[in-house]
Structure formats: C-alpha cells, structure tokens
Amino acid sequence: MFFVFNKPAVKTIKKLLGRFGESIISFDGKVSVNSFLHIQRYSYVNVYMKWKNDSYYDSIEDIHQSILLKPIIALKNCIARNPNECIPISDVSKRGLQLDVPMKVARFMRQYPSIFEEFTGPQYNLPWFRLTPEAAEIDKDEKRVYKDCREDLQSRLKKMILMTRENVLPLKIIQGMQWYLGLPDDFLQYPERNLDDSFKFVEMEGGLKALAVERREKIFSVMEENAMKKGLIFGGTMEAIEFPLFPSKGLRLRTKIQNWLDEFQKLPYISPYDDFSNLDPNSDIAEKRLIGVLHELLSLFVEHSAERKKLFCLKKYFGLPQKMHRAFERHPHMFYLSFRNNTCSVILKEAYSFDRSAFQKHPLLGVRKKYIKLMKKSQVILKNRRVNNRFSKSSSKQDLDSDNVDKEEHEIAACSAEQVV
C-alpha cells in the first residue's frame, strides 16, 4: 500500500525523517506504509524518577571495600616487587596521588597492620615496611591467578576495546580501567607475554598512544549468550531481547513510564559489538544500545560495578551520548547508584540477584575477598593496641600514685619521730 504526496509535502517529510527519508520515500513521491516500521521511535516520557536508597546494594562489601583495597594493592605491589621484599617509607611517601592513597602514605599503611608490618630500617632510624606472612601468601595466590587465567583477562580487555567506535582505545583510558577489569597494573608493560597477535599498538590523533584490536570472529554479548541458552534467539541480527529487571523494594514506576518501558523491552537488541553508525542518537533504539553497552561493560568487571565518573571517560570512544548519566536514572530496575565512600558507584543489579548463573565469575574475585577479610583483622589489631595502651598508662599512673603515697607516709612518720624527740 502507498500514499501519494505532492512535491512540497515530499520535501517536508524527507526533512523530518532525515537520512531515513531517502530510503523510505521514492522519487515519485510514494511512501510505503510498511516502510514506517523501520523508522526509529522517539516515545520516551521524560519524567524525573526519584532515587531510592536500597540497603542491600549499599552493604555489598566487595564493592565498597574495593575503593580502599585499590591503594592497598598498589602499595603491596611496590613492596612485593622489591628484591628485598621491603621498602623504606621514602620510596612511596611522595607517590600518594599516583597510588590513589587518600591520606599521608605512612599513616595509611599504619592503618592496616594485618597487611603491612612496620620496622626500623638499617639507616637513620627510618620506618620501613614489609608484608605480613598472611599478605605475602595472598600475594602468591594473586600471581598464580594472573598466570593461570591470562587468556580470560586478555579476553575481557579485547571485548572492551571491540565495543569502541573504531576498535581502538588510548592506553591512558585502559590504565584507568585496569582495576575494574582485574588486570595487574603492569599488564601493558609486558605485551609479548600478556597480549596475542590480534592486539596492536597504534598512535591516534595528537600523538595519543593506543591499543587496537583486529576483529577476527563474531563476538556475542552476555545478553545474547544467555538468550541463546534459553532458546529465545538464534544468533541473528535485530532480534528483540528483554533486559532482566530487578525492582528495589518500594520502588514503583509511574504508569506512563512503565508503559514506555514495556515497549522499550520489545525493541530490537543492538549488540555492543555491532556497528551503530546508522542509529539516530535521540531514538529509543539508540538508548537500548546504550543500556546494552553499560550492561556488557559492567559484566566484564570484577565486582560488576564501577565509579560513575570512570564510565563517563568512555563517552567519546564508545559513542555514548553526552547525557549518558540519565540512563542510570531512567533504568533503576537495572542499575543502582550507591553514594557510599563519598563517591557514586554504578552497580549492575542482575549480578547480585538470587540467580547469578548469568555471569561468569571473575577469576580475581576470590583473591580480593581474601584481602578484604585480612583488612578487617587490622581493625581488631588496632583496637587491641588502644586497649593495651590504656591499660599500660593506667598501670603506670597507679604505680606512680602508690610511690607518692609511700613517700608521703614516710615523711609523716619522720616528722612524728622528730616531735617525740
């Protein structure tokens, strides 16, 4: 079926449809009704959704202790890589900003006596630090994981780069995401050991050093893999996949937003690894691609979470909209924003649902859990030290008071003897 318009009407419709008008409207002014099915929709209801606190996600230890664990691991690596397995405080005291240490380095290390053991150095009575036996043992486990799971870690890095617009990512961006991907901080320093021949170091505009990946096979996202396992899709393109939703207790969407969300779920799923250059950035289908990219990124990370400001650094290279922060607010059933530790962390709700089989467990997660458990022991050690210090001060004061009393009694006795004489 076709509609026939005059030339001015055709020009107006083409202008409204933009680049899609050329393929939909023929030269003789005929417009196919079926062609309208290919027009990308703009149906989102722009209503502010109030953020609601959820104590379950705010209490996930792996996520919220990770911010403190990161500088601890960085300092631990400085000690472990030293040939003597110990360092003077002067080696790291001026590198606090580089290592993400939130206070003076010496003070920070003394807060974790279960990990860092302090002793007096051989010269000038400077404080030195070495790893405790427990921390040294976990460090060995960590190195073993890096060695045994090198291919898994390499695959996660490759997938992240293949989600970019041109399959290339600056090294400084990769270094900023290494912690979330679970890569050791010296991963890129040994490319012959850690990278296969599909990776290539290149130079971007402005002399920016970057890492590129050659695409050799089709890659399926976590969403696609799970849908194929359930028989919902068959590996084709433009198939509709619904995102799993996990509403927080007491969080309800308004009716018109719920209606929009129901329609949004029925839209075709655009894989983060597919070309997206033909998508209109203001359409619903482009937003579904954005949600798919964020879902896939968080699924690659160790804790399936990241600081929101770190994700913002990826906008330019991943083709994400300038106002991508709205995606977290529009989809509270998928993402949770936690404001603990004076920062905003994005958490993928699906990863912490009752059924966690949808994600492959990161090989480094178990090691980080061991470090966090060891961190807790520091609180007990410091508490016992404070109690012992108070007890020793109290004992010293009692001994001093006792000596004073004995002295006074002796003086009184001497005075009494003189009076008798």
Side-chain angles (χ1 to χ4, degrees):
M1 181 179 176
F2 292 88
F3 292 116
V4 181
F5 299 95
N6 57 29
K7 288 185 178 180
V10 169
K11 288 182 179 179
T12 303
I13 293 174
K14 281 186 177 182
K15 187 176 180 181
L16 290 172
L17 293 178
R19 60 176 175 271
F20 303 103
E22 297 296 332
S23 61
I24 293 174
I25 303 177
S26 61
F27 290 104
D28 58 0
K30 293 182 179 180
V31 183
S32 170
V33 173
N34 292 330
S35 298
F36 279 108
L37 297 176
H38 300 288
I39 299 174
Q40 298 174 62
R41 288 179 283 180
Y42 305 80
S43 60
Y44 178 68
V45 182
N46 191 12
V47 178
Y48 172 74
M49 284 181 274
K50 188 177 180 181
W51 174 84
K52 184 172 179 61
N53 177 59
D54 192 320
S55 58
Y56 171 70
Y57 296 104
D58 281 329
S59 62
I60 299 174
E61 224 171 37
D62 301 345
I63 294 173
H64 303 296
Q65 290 291 337
S66 177
I67 294 175
L68 290 174
L69 181 59
K70 185 180 178 184
I72 289 176
I73 297 296
L75 289 166
K76 181 269 303 178
N77 289 338
C78 293
I79 297 174
R81 288 171 188 159
N82 189 284
N84 299 319
E85 297 183 343
C86 59
I87 58 170
I89 189 60
S90 57
D91 278 13
V92 291
S93 59
K94 295 182 180 180
R95 296 174 59 193
L97 189 62
Q98 176 190 346
L99 301 173
D100 288 330
V101 180
M103 59 186 74
K104 287 187 176 181
V105 177
R107 180 187 168 196
F108 181 78
M109 296 180 79
R110 285 169 182 151
Q111 286 186 350
Y112 299 97
S114 61
I115 298 174
F116 305 111
E117 182 181 338
E118 184 178 357
F119 63 99
T120 303
Q123 292 181 340
Y124 311 115
N125 292 329
L126 288 174
W128 282 55
F129 290 90
R130 60 186 165 221
L131 297 180
T132 61
E134 296 91 340
E137 192 62 34
I138 301 175
D139 177 63
K140 291 178 182 177
D141 292 342
E142 184 180 6
K143 290 175 179 174
R144 197 178 303 116
V145 168
Y146 285 141
K147 183 179 179 181
D148 296 342
C149 303
R150 188 171 294 142
E151 289 185 6
D152 181 282
L153 299 176
Q154 182 189 110
S155 173
R156 292 172 188 269
L157 174 60
K158 184 180 294 186
K159 285 182 176 180
M160 188 178 77
I161 296 176
L162 287 175
M163 277 190 273
T164 61
R165 192 189 297 272
E166 299 176 356
N167 298 340
V168 60
L169 202 56
L171 295 182
K172 65 176 184 179
I173 298 293
I174 296 175
Q175 289 165 354
M177 304 304 292
Q178 282 184 150
W179 173 257
Y180 300 114
L181 289 169
L183 306 179
D185 52 13
D186 62 348
F187 188 81
L188 296 177
Q189 295 176 20
Y190 303 97
E192 67 286 345
R193 183 177 69 192
N194 296 322
L195 303 176
D196 61 28
D197 58 357
S198 65
F199 290 90
K200 184 171 65 174
F201 288 96
V202 297
E203 192 170 294
M204 300 179 72
E205 293 181 7
L208 199 62
K209 294 182 179 179
L211 187 63
V213 175
E214 179 186 351
R215 187 189 297 268
R216 296 180 177 176
E217 58 184 6
K218 181 173 176 58
I219 296 179
F220 294 101
S221 67
V222 169
M223 285 289 298
E224 290 174 310
E225 288 176 352
N226 291 334
M228 284 189 285
K229 287 177 184 176
K230 296 175 183 177
L232 301 176
I233 64 170
F234 303 96
T237 57
M238 300 295 287
E239 294 181 282
I241 305 177
E242 295 188 4
F243 291 109
L245 305 179
F246 300 89
S248 294
K249 187 178 180 181
L251 178 62
R252 292 183 179 180
L253 302 181
R254 297 183 184 181
T255 304
K256 53 185 175 181
I257 299 177
Q258 186 63 56
N259 293 338
W260 169 83
L261 184 58
D262 293 340
E263 292 298 317
F264 178 84
Q265 291 279 52
K266 297 174 185 177
L267 290 173
Y269 174 82
I270 307 298
S271 172
Y273 304 106
D274 288 347
D275 178 45
F276 59 93
S277 57
N278 63 334
L279 295 181
D280 189 301
N282 297 314
S283 62
D284 287 346
I285 205 167
E287 180 164 338
K288 189 156 187 177
R289 187 252 169 191
L290 165 62
I291 300 303
V293 169
L294 295 173
H295 183 280
E296 183 71 4
L297 264 176
L298 294 173
S299 71
L300 296 176
F301 295 164
V302 179
E303 292 95 6
H304 307 296
S305 170
E307 287 184 86
R308 187 173 59 176
K309 62 183 179 182
K310 295 286 187 181
L311 296 177
F312 289 165
C313 298
L314 305 176
K315 289 179 186 177
K316 177 181 178 181
Y317 306 101
F318 283 72
L320 305 179
Q322 191 63 28
K323 296 181 179 180
M324 63 172 282
H325 62 277
R326 292 183 178 177
F328 306 121
E329 300 166 4
R330 293 177 181 181
H331 300 273
H333 292 348
M334 287 185 62
F335 307 107
Y336 179 74
L337 297 178
S338 176
F339 294 90
R340 282 190 57 183
N341 300 316
N342 299 318
T343 188
C344 179
S345 299
V346 180
I347 302 172
L348 183 61
K349 285 187 169 184
E350 184 183 4
Y352 293 92
S353 63
F354 294 107
D355 180 17
R356 302 188 183 183
S357 59
F359 297 96
Q360 182 183 357
K361 184 180 177 182
H362 197 289
L364 200 66
L365 183 61
V367 174
R368 289 192 181 176
K369 285 180 179 288
K370 290 180 182 179
Y371 278 120
I372 291 172
K373 188 176 180 181
L374 190 58
M375 285 168 62
K376 286 184 174 180
K377 290 186 178 180
S378 293
Q379 300 173 4
V380 177
I381 294 172
L382 293 174
K383 184 178 179 180
N384 290 338
R385 284 181 183 176
R386 288 193 293 268
V387 170
N388 292 335
N389 286 339
R390 283 199 297 267
F391 179 76
S392 83
K393 286 181 181 179
S394 176
S395 299
S396 299
K397 186 176 180 181
Q398 289 177 1
D399 292 342
L400 183 61
D401 292 342
S402 177
D403 291 342
N404 290 336
V405 169
D406 291 342
K407 186 176 179 181
E408 288 176 2
E409 289 178 351
H410 179 73
E411 290 176 352
I412 291 172
C415 290
S416 300
E418 290 177 359
Q419 289 176 0
V420 171
V421 174

